[in-house]
C-alpha cells in the first residue's frame, strides 16, 4: 500500500513537470538573466496590467522574421501596461548562436526595446509548454495572479507583416485592455522546435 | 554533330523535366487529396524545411528506411516542405542532392497555418519535424518530433 502511494505520488510529480499552460492557467514567475546582465522577473513590473511573454531565439528564420514586429509590440503596449518579455529557450551548447553573447549582439543590432532573457537550464519553457520559436503567451494580471489569456502566434503571416490579416497578439491585448474576453485564445503556426539538452 | 547536339539537348531537357516534376507547390486541400490518392498503401508524410536542423538530420533515416522497405511493404513517401515558395529552387536542389525518394510537395499555405495545422493533427503546435502515417487518407499515427531509423521501422512494422 505504501509502495502504491509512493508510485502514485511519483506519477503526480511526473505529470506536474510535464504540465503546460492552457487558457486560464496561472503562470509562474521566473528570474532569468537578460542581455544587460540583470535578472528579470515578472514581479519587477509592479505597474504592469499583464505581459507579452515571447519564447524566441536568434537562429530560427521564423523568429528572425518576427523581430521587428516584436519590437513594435513592445513600443505599442509597454506604455499601456503590457510589456514584452522575450525568452530564448534554446540550449546554448546545442545552438551556440543562441548563447548569451550572441543574444547581446542580436539585441544591440536590432535595438530590442524589451528584455531578452536566456532560459539557462531550460526550466521555464517546459512549465509554459512552449513548443517552438516564436511562441507567445499573453498573461493578464487578475487579482494579483498572472493568468494565461492567449497562446500562439503573433499574426497569420510570418513572411510579410503588412499582409497579415489577423494580428492575434494585438487583438488579445486590445481586448484585455478593454476588459473584454479574448476572441481567439489559441492559435498554431509553423516554427522551429526548441533545442533541448538531453 | 547536329544530331549530337539534339541528343544532348534532349538529355538536358529530360533531366530538367524530371527535376521540375520532383516538387509541386500546393495548398492544404491539394496535399490532402494527394495523400488520399495513395489509397491502400501505407503513406509516410514528413513535414520538413531546409531551415529546420533536426529535419535535415532526420531525412537520411527516411531515405534509408523507405528504400529498404518500399518493395516488401507497399510503402509511399511524401516529403512536404514548409519552406517559402520563393525558395522552391533551393528546396528542389536539396531534394536532388539528398536523393530524397517518393513525392515532394511545397506546402505554400502560410497564411492559413491556424486552419490546416489542427486539421493535420489537433495537438500539433506546428513544430518541425513532424510525420504522419496514412492509409486510405486516414491518419493512423502522428509524431511531432524527430524519428530514429529504429522508431520508423517499428512504426512501419506495426502499421503495415
Amino acid at each position: 500500500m505504501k509502495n502504491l502511494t509512493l508510485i502514485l505520488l511519483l506519477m503526480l510529480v511526473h505529470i506536474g513537470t510535464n504540465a503546460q499552460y492552457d487558457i486560464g492557467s496561472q503562470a509562474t514567475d521566473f528570474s532569468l538573466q537578460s542581455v544587460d546582465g540583470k535578472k528579470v522577473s515578472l514581479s519587477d513590473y509592479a505597474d504592469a496590467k499583464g505581459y507579452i511573454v515571447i519564447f524566441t531565439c536568434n537562429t530560427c528564420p521564423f523568429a528572425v522574421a518576427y523581430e521587428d514586429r516584436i519590437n513594435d509590440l513592445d513600443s505599442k503596449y509597454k506604455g499601456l501596461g503590457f510589456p514584452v518579455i522575450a525568452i530564448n529557450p534554446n540550449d546554448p551548447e546545442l545552438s551556440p548562436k543562441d548563447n548569451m553573447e550572441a543574444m547581446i549582439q542580436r539585441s544591440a543590432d536590432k535595438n530590442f526595446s524589451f528584455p531578452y532573457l536566456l532560459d539557462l537550464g531550460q526550466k521555464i519553457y517546459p512549465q509554459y509548454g512552449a513548443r517552438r520559436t516564436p511562441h507567445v503567451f499573453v498573461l493578464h494580471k487578475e487579482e494579483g495572479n498572472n493568468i494565461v489569456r492567449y497562446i500562439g502566434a503573433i499574426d497569420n503571416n510570418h513572411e510579410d507583416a503588412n499582409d497579415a490579416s489577423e494580428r492575434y497578439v494585438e487583438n488579445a491585448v486590445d481586448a484585455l485592455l478593454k476588459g473584454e474576453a479574448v476572441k481567439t485564445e489559441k492559435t498554431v503556426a509553423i516554427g522551429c522546435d526548441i533545442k533541448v539538452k538531453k | 554533330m547536329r544530331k549530337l547536339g539534339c541528343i544532348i539537348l534532349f538529355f538536358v531537357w529530360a533531366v530538367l523535366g524530371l527535376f521540375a516534376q520532383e516538387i509541386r507547390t500546393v495548398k492544404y486541400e491539394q496535399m490532402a487529396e494527394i495523400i488520399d490518392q495513395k489509397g491502400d498503401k501505407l503513406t509516410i508524410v514528413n513535414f520538413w524545411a531546409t531551415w529546420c536542423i533536426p529535419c535535415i538530420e532526420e531525412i537520411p533515416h527516411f531515405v534509408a528506411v523507405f528504400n529498404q522497405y518500399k518493395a516488401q511493404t507497399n510503402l509511399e513517401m511524401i516529403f512536404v516542405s514548409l519552406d517559402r515558395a520563393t525558395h522552391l529552387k533551393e528546396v528542389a536542389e536539396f531534394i536532388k542532392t539528398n536523393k530524397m525518394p517518393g513525392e515532394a510537395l511545397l506546402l505554400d499555405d502560410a497564411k492559413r497555418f491556424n486552419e490546416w495545422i489542427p486539421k493535420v493533427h489537433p495537438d500539433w503546435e506546428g513544430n518541425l519535424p513532424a510525420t504522419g502515417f496514412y492509409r486510405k487518407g486516414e491518419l493512423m499515427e502522428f509524431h511531432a518530433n524527430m524519428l530514429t531509423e529504429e522508431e520508423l521501422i517499428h512504426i512501419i512494422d506495426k502499421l503495415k
Side-chain angles (χ1 to χ4, degrees), chain A residues 92-113:
Chain A
E93 269 176 45
L94 285 178
S95 181
K97 285 177 184 167
D98 280 318
N99 68 20
M100 184 45 92
E101 207 178 318
M103 287 170 64
I104 294 169
Q105 188 64 49
R106 196 69 198 157
S107 175
D109 290 349
K110 295 299 290 183
N111 281 318
F112 285 171
S113 60

Side-chain angles (χ1 to χ4, degrees), chain A residues 42 45-52 77-83 138-147 149 173 176-178:
Chain A
L42 297 175
Y45 298 76
D47 298 333
K49 293 175 186 160
Y51 308 87
I52 304 171
Y77 291 108
K78 186 160 52 187
L80 297 170
F82 277 81
V138 173
L139 314 181
H140 187 220
K141 254 193 204 167
E142 296 171 19
E143 295 164 3
N145 296 319
N146 297 312
I147 306 297
R149 288 294 168 213
V173 178
L176 293 170
L177 282 169
K178 279 190 250 170

Side-chain angles (χ1 to χ4, degrees), chain A residues 62 131-132 163 187-189, chain B residues 51 84 111 114 125-127:
Chain A
F62 281 76
R131 287 303 307 271
R132 50 164 208 276
D163 195 28
T187 61
V188 287
Chain B
W51 48 258
R84 287 186 182 195
K111 268 183 106 170
N114 199 42
E125 290 279 355
N127 45 308

Side-chain angles (χ1 to χ4, degrees), chain A residues 1-181:
Chain A
M1 191 58 207
K2 222 175 175 180
N3 276 346
L4 186 70
T5 319
L6 192 70
I7 290 167
L8 280 174
L9 213 75
L10 280 172
M11 273 171 76
L12 272 176
V13 171
H14 185 71
I15 292 164
T17 51
N18 282 330
Q20 61 177 58
Y21 295 159
D22 207 339
I23 302 302
S25 296
Q26 188 180 322
T28 185
D29 201 350
F30 41 75
S31 177
L32 298 172
Q33 195 187 327
S34 185
V35 285
D36 66 358
K38 291 183 190 142
K39 293 250 182 176
V40 172
S41 298
L42 297 175
S43 57
D44 297 341
Y45 298 76
D47 298 333
K49 293 175 186 160
Y51 308 87
I52 304 171
V53 177
I54 306 180
F55 291 90
T56 186
C57 68
N58 287 352
T59 49
C60 174
F62 281 76
V64 171
Y66 273 109
E67 283 172 334
D68 292 337
R69 278 173 268 185
I70 296 174
N71 249 343
D72 291 346
L73 280 174
D74 190 55
S75 9
K76 184 170 176 186
Y77 291 108
K78 186 160 52 187
L80 297 170
F82 277 81
V84 165
I85 305 202
I87 304 175
N88 168 16
N90 286 337
D91 180 74
E93 269 176 45
L94 285 178
S95 181
K97 285 177 184 167
D98 280 318
N99 68 20
M100 184 45 92
E101 207 178 318
M103 287 170 64
I104 294 169
Q105 188 64 49
R106 196 69 198 157
S107 175
D109 290 349
K110 295 299 290 183
N111 281 318
F112 285 171
S113 60
F114 49 84
Y116 187 22
L117 322 179
L118 179 61
D119 186 6
L120 198 64
Q122 302 190 298
K123 295 277 190 289
I124 299 303
Y125 91 81
Q127 291 186 43
Y128 277 72
R131 287 303 307 271
R132 50 164 208 276
T133 52
H135 205 162
V136 185
F137 294 76
V138 173
L139 314 181
H140 187 220
K141 254 193 204 167
E142 296 171 19
E143 295 164 3
N145 296 319
N146 297 312
I147 306 297
V148 178
R149 288 294 168 213
Y150 172 78
I151 303 173
I154 292 172
D155 59 35
N156 72 342
N157 194 335
H158 69 283
E159 291 183 6
D160 181 3
N162 295 321
D163 195 28
S165 56
E166 295 282 346
R167 297 174 199 278
Y168 305 120
V169 170
E170 290 190 37
N171 293 345
V173 178
D174 287 343
L176 293 170
L177 282 169
K178 279 190 250 170
E180 293 170 2

Side-chain angles (χ1 to χ4, degrees), chain A residues 20 59-62 65 129 131-132 135 151-152 156-160 163-165 168 184 186-195 198, chain B residues 47 49 51-54 82-86 108-118 122-129 144-146:
Chain A
Q20 61 177 58
T59 49
C60 174
F62 281 76
R131 287 303 307 271
R132 50 164 208 276
H135 205 162
I151 303 173
N156 72 342
N157 194 335
H158 69 283
E159 291 183 6
D160 181 3
D163 195 28
S165 56
Y168 305 120
T184 305
K186 275 173 119 174
T187 61
V188 287
I190 292 296
C192 304
D193 223 354
I194 291 169
K195 293 165 189 84
K198 293 207 169 116
Chain B
F47 296 92
W51 48 258
C52 161
I53 296 158
L82 287 150
D83 285 89
R84 287 186 182 195
T86 49
D108 177 27
D109 220 348
K111 268 183 106 170
R112 295 198 303 154
F113 275 159
N114 199 42
E115 242 177 86
W116 64 257
I117 291 174
D123 294 332
W124 186 24
E125 290 279 355
N127 45 308
L128 296 179
N145 54 272
M146 222 173 127

